Amino acid sequence: MRGDEWDRRVDEMSPANGVALRLERAGYDDLVIAAALGVPLESVPALLEVARAKLAREAATPPTEAATPPTEAAVPPATQ
């Protein structure tokens, strides 16, 4: 996965998962990740495993097209 796509997908994740993955990618160890997230050190490996699995699942799923806004015809007229 290209860097810009990785960044976009991580941006779409929960803040905890995104921060954990970004810190891991930057080379920080579990102690720093735990402190940054305010979680016990023992929970970091599982948190990273879940975050990586979600990222892999998202990478395997093609992005959906953005929803198109309703046209004027689809918007009900204002009531008086």
Side-chain angles (χ1 to χ4, degrees):
M1 170 180 331
R2 293 183 332 223
D4 56 336
E5 182 180 352
W6 188 91
D7 286 332
R8 183 183 59 75
R9 290 186 186 275
V10 170
D11 285 345
E12 294 171 353
M13 299 178 89
S14 72
N17 287 337
V19 168
L21 288 173
R22 287 184 188 285
L23 289 172
E24 179 188 45
R25 189 178 209 192
Y28 290 98
D29 63 17
D30 289 1
L31 184 60
V32 173
I33 296 170
L37 297 176
V39 299
L41 177 62
E42 299 79 22
S43 68
V44 173
L47 189 146
L48 286 169
E49 183 178 339
V50 168
R52 283 189 222 107
K54 288 181 179 184
L55 185 62
R57 184 176 63 236
E58 289 296 317
T61 305
T64 58
E65 292 184 29
T68 56
T71 62
E72 282 188 38
V75 178
T79 58
Q80 297 178 346

